[in-house]
Amino acid sequence: MHKPKILFFDIDGTLIDMQKKCITPLMLSTLHKLQANGIRLAIATGRSPMTVPLEEFPGVQFDVFITFNGSYCYDKDRVLFASPIPTEDIRTLRRNAAALGRPMCLATESRLAANGTDADLADYCAIAKIPVPIAEDFDALAAGKVYQIMIGGRAEEYGRLMQDVHGAKIAAWWDRAMDIIPTAGGKGTGIAHVLAAYGIDKADAMAFGDGNNDLEMFGAVGTGVAMANGSDALKAAATDICGACAEDGIYHYCVEHGLIEA
């Protein structure tokens, strides 16, 4: 296999098993070996910068972070791309969510803030091992730079939630909640900015993912590898499919394709 110059990894369901909620020793070793082989490593997640679980990756120095599903991208030296949701759309989304009886959680560069909670939002936050961050200054934050909004909900609620919203879109990877990001965002957009900043061609980039919010990511790289535990839509769009996250699928794929040694 052509050796990629950079690898992009989703976190939940890709690097970290959703049931065990931790990275396996073999997967951690895989990241170390890939880095030792001169391949840049990048996170591409719907999580905020504050909830990227760096403690799960001891000794790994990720080169780039694509967070909020591509709305906020950075490396250790600089912000590579930042695209907040238009304030008018935040007001509309808040009104629509209230009509559905759904609280919402705003994500700024350095804060998470919710105006309430329900079972779906609580369980969604629990995936990142945090409580719902109910905030008294929610109104003030809603008027500032918001890069993502998290709301509990099902697919049948999408239409009503997004009614009259023009500058934002849904990036969903779980069937009980959704991430709302600016239309200018998306993991694919984030990756395009990262590749341009580093002077790396699309053909030299590879990505691993499991959810529908990874579809745009696969379109931005030369090789998109879906996890066996991934969605049917992502598998259909993938260049290749590896084993499940819980079965160290990425490790076996990297060994089989000569990216690392066993």
Side-chain angles (χ1 to χ4, degrees):
M1 170 178 270
H2 171 69
K3 178 183 174 182
K5 294 181 179 179
I6 189 167
L7 297 179
F8 294 90
F9 296 96
D10 173 56
I11 296 179
D12 301 293
T14 301
L15 289 179
I16 294 179
D17 179 61
M18 294 287 286
Q19 300 301 317
K20 298 176 182 177
K21 293 183 169 56
C22 64
I23 191 169
T24 68
L26 196 54
M27 186 62 240
L28 181 60
S29 173
T30 300
L31 294 176
H32 283 290
K33 289 180 178 180
L34 289 168
Q35 201 151 47
N37 286 345
I39 300 174
R40 294 183 186 273
L41 305 183
I43 288 290
T45 181
R47 290 183 183 234
S48 72
M50 302 84 74
T51 61
V52 173
L54 293 178
E55 69 280 359
E56 293 286 345
F57 312 111
V60 179
Q61 300 297 320
F62 288 102
D63 296 280
V64 177
F65 295 88
I66 292 174
T67 61
F68 299 138
N69 286 297
S71 299
Y72 192 80
C73 312
Y74 58 96
D75 61 18
K76 64 182 180 64
D77 297 318
R78 56 190 165 155
V79 175
L80 301 171
F81 176 67
S83 177
I85 298 171
T87 304
E88 178 59 33
D89 284 318
I90 294 174
R91 287 194 289 265
T92 302
L93 285 162
R94 186 176 182 181
R95 186 167 58 248
N96 292 348
L100 289 167
R102 289 288 188 180
M104 56 198 295
C105 182
L106 308 177
T108 71
E109 177 184 348
S110 58
R111 286 278 306 279
L112 296 176
N115 63 351
T117 188
D118 61 16
D120 290 328
L121 186 59
D123 288 347
Y124 197 41
C125 288
I127 294 172
K129 300 180 181 178
I130 60 171
V132 176
I134 297 175
E136 294 183 358
D137 59 345
F138 181 90
D139 291 342
L141 291 172
K145 291 183 178 180
V146 173
Y147 293 97
Q148 183 167 277
I149 299 173
M150 288 78 75
I151 300 177
R154 307 302 201 277
E156 57 266 26
E157 297 174 84
Y158 291 1
R160 291 175 61 193
L161 181 66
M162 300 304 290
Q163 185 175 353
D164 298 322
V165 174
H166 306 292
K169 61 184 178 181
I170 291 175
W173 60 270
W174 193 43
D175 60 4
R176 288 177 53 200
M178 64 201 90
D179 298 333
I180 298 173
I181 61 174
T183 52
K187 290 187 181 183
T189 298
I191 287 176
H193 282 276
V194 168
L195 296 182
Y198 281 81
I200 298 175
D201 190 84
K202 174 181 177 178
D204 294 320
M206 177 184 290
F208 291 88
D210 72 300
N212 285 351
N213 63 331
D214 296 320
L215 283 165
E216 291 184 25
M217 177 167 73
F218 280 12
V221 298
T223 304
V225 184
M227 309 301 295
N229 53 279
S231 71
D232 291 339
L234 190 69
K235 291 177 185 175
T239 309
D240 211 346
I241 298 174
C242 70
C245 176
E247 299 170 355
D248 293 309
I250 295 176
Y251 162 77
H252 294 292
Y253 184 90
C254 289
V255 170
E256 290 167 6
H257 290 83
L259 300 184
I260 63 172
E261 294 184 358

mmCIF file of all heavy atoms in Angstrom, residues 2 5-6 29 65 69 95 128 130 150 194 232 243 249:
data_model
loop_
_atom_site.group_PDB
_atom_site.id
_atom_site.type_symbol
_atom_site.label_atom_id
_atom_site.label_comp_id
_atom_site.label_asym_id
_atom_site.label_seq_id
_atom_site.Cartn_x
_atom_site.Cartn_y
_atom_site.Cartn_z
ATOM 1 N N HIS A 2 0.405 2.276 -0.720
ATOM 2 C CA HIS A 2 1.043 3.590 -0.707
ATOM 3 C C HIS A 2 1.029 4.123 0.726
ATOM 4 O O HIS A 2 -0.022 4.203 1.363
ATOM 5 C CB HIS A 2 0.264 4.514 -1.642
ATOM 6 C CG HIS A 2 0.664 5.947 -1.564
ATOM 7 N ND1 HIS A 2 1.884 6.403 -2.007
ATOM 8 C CD2 HIS A 2 0.003 7.033 -1.089
ATOM 9 C CE1 HIS A 2 1.953 7.708 -1.813
ATOM 10 N NE2 HIS A 2 0.827 8.115 -1.252
ATOM 11 N N LYS A 5 0.776 10.090 4.329
ATOM 12 C CA LYS A 5 1.540 11.067 5.100
ATOM 13 C C LYS A 5 0.804 11.488 6.364
ATOM 14 O O LYS A 5 1.422 11.971 7.314
ATOM 15 C CB LYS A 5 1.851 12.291 4.243
ATOM 16 C CG LYS A 5 2.788 12.013 3.079
ATOM 17 C CD LYS A 5 3.082 13.275 2.276
ATOM 18 C CE LYS A 5 4.041 12.990 1.134
ATOM 19 N NZ LYS A 5 4.315 14.225 0.330
ATOM 20 N N ILE A 6 -0.526 11.328 6.359
ATOM 21 C CA ILE A 6 -1.330 11.715 7.510
ATOM 22 C C ILE A 6 -2.539 10.794 7.629
ATOM 23 O O ILE A 6 -3.115 10.383 6.621
ATOM 24 C CB ILE A 6 -1.771 13.194 7.403
ATOM 25 C CG1 ILE A 6 -2.431 13.660 8.698
ATOM 26 C CG2 ILE A 6 -2.662 13.423 6.199
ATOM 27 C CD1 ILE A 6 -2.612 15.172 8.780
ATOM 28 N N SER A 29 -0.725 0.995 21.080
ATOM 29 C CA SER A 29 0.566 0.629 20.494
ATOM 30 C C SER A 29 0.593 0.930 18.999
ATOM 31 O O SER A 29 1.617 1.365 18.459
ATOM 32 C CB SER A 29 0.839 -0.861 20.731
ATOM 33 O OG SER A 29 1.997 -1.292 20.053
ATOM 34 N N PHE A 65 -5.893 18.588 15.426
ATOM 35 C CA PHE A 65 -7.196 18.274 16.008
ATOM 36 C C PHE A 65 -8.291 18.941 15.179
ATOM 37 O O PHE A 65 -8.314 20.163 15.034
ATOM 38 C CB PHE A 65 -7.282 18.763 17.456
ATOM 39 C CG PHE A 65 -6.338 18.061 18.387
ATOM 40 C CD1 PHE A 65 -5.041 18.540 18.565
ATOM 41 C CD2 PHE A 65 -6.730 16.924 19.071
ATOM 42 C CE1 PHE A 65 -4.166 17.894 19.410
ATOM 43 C CE2 PHE A 65 -5.841 16.271 19.922
ATOM 44 C CZ PHE A 65 -4.561 16.752 20.093
ATOM 45 N N ASN A 69 -16.817 18.472 14.686
ATOM 46 C CA ASN A 69 -17.118 17.986 13.328
ATOM 47 C C ASN A 69 -16.564 18.902 12.239
ATOM 48 O O ASN A 69 -17.176 19.089 11.180
ATOM 49 C CB ASN A 69 -18.632 17.814 13.142
ATOM 50 C CG ASN A 69 -19.184 16.614 13.864
ATOM 51 O OD1 ASN A 69 -18.835 15.474 13.569
ATOM 52 N ND2 ASN A 69 -20.043 16.861 14.845
ATOM 53 N N ARG A 95 -35.472 28.376 19.402
ATOM 54 C CA ARG A 95 -36.926 28.450 19.347
ATOM 55 C C ARG A 95 -37.516 27.110 18.892
ATOM 56 O O ARG A 95 -38.489 26.607 19.473
ATOM 57 C CB ARG A 95 -37.330 29.575 18.398
ATOM 58 C CG ARG A 95 -38.815 29.874 18.347
ATOM 59 C CD ARG A 95 -39.088 31.191 17.639
ATOM 60 N NE ARG A 95 -38.565 31.232 16.277
ATOM 61 C CZ ARG A 95 -37.562 32.008 15.882
ATOM 62 N NH1 ARG A 95 -36.942 32.810 16.742
ATOM 63 N NH2 ARG A 95 -37.162 31.993 14.615
ATOM 64 N N ALA A 128 -18.989 11.261 26.568
ATOM 65 C CA ALA A 128 -17.747 12.012 26.785
ATOM 66 C C ALA A 128 -17.369 12.065 28.264
ATOM 67 O O ALA A 128 -16.443 12.781 28.649
ATOM 68 C CB ALA A 128 -17.892 13.424 26.243
ATOM 69 N N ILE A 130 -19.003 13.318 30.860
ATOM 70 C CA ILE A 130 -19.266 14.586 31.524
ATOM 71 C C ILE A 130 -20.759 14.692 31.820
ATOM 72 O O ILE A 130 -21.587 14.102 31.124
ATOM 73 C CB ILE A 130 -18.841 15.805 30.677
ATOM 74 C CG1 ILE A 130 -19.604 15.839 29.342
ATOM 75 C CG2 ILE A 130 -17.335 15.803 30.443
ATOM 76 C CD1 ILE A 130 -19.410 17.121 28.554
ATOM 77 N N MET A 150 -25.378 20.664 20.564
ATOM 78 C CA MET A 150 -25.775 19.276 20.771
ATOM 79 C C MET A 150 -27.202 19.240 21.312
ATOM 80 O O MET A 150 -27.517 19.935 22.273
ATOM 81 C CB MET A 150 -24.824 18.583 21.746
ATOM 82 C CG MET A 150 -23.446 18.305 21.164
ATOM 83 S SD MET A 150 -22.380 19.749 21.098
ATOM 84 C CE MET A 150 -21.927 19.925 22.823
ATOM 85 N N VAL A 194 -6.715 21.447 6.707
ATOM 86 C CA VAL A 194 -5.497 20.867 7.291
ATOM 87 C C VAL A 194 -4.520 20.468 6.181
ATOM 88 O O VAL A 194 -3.320 20.763 6.248
ATOM 89 C CB VAL A 194 -5.850 19.647 8.160
ATOM 90 C CG1 VAL A 194 -4.582 18.875 8.532
ATOM 91 C CG2 VAL A 194 -6.578 20.096 9.422
ATOM 92 N N ASP A 232 -24.048 1.526 7.811
ATOM 93 C CA ASP A 232 -24.132 0.972 6.454
ATOM 94 C C ASP A 232 -23.788 2.027 5.409
ATOM 95 O O ASP A 232 -23.131 1.731 4.403
ATOM 96 C CB ASP A 232 -25.534 0.420 6.195
ATOM 97 C CG ASP A 232 -25.832 -0.833 7.017
ATOM 98 O OD1 ASP A 232 -24.864 -1.489 7.465
ATOM 99 O OD2 ASP A 232 -27.024 -1.144 7.209
ATOM 100 N N GLY A 243 -11.683 -4.379 10.566
ATOM 101 C CA GLY A 243 -12.407 -5.042 11.643
ATOM 102 C C GLY A 243 -13.029 -4.048 12.607
ATOM 103 O O GLY A 243 -12.827 -2.835 12.529
ATOM 104 N N GLY A 249 -9.567 -3.572 15.001
ATOM 105 C CA GLY A 249 -9.607 -3.604 13.551
ATOM 106 C C GLY A 249 -8.562 -2.727 12.888
ATOM 107 O O GLY A 249 -7.991 -3.107 11.854
#
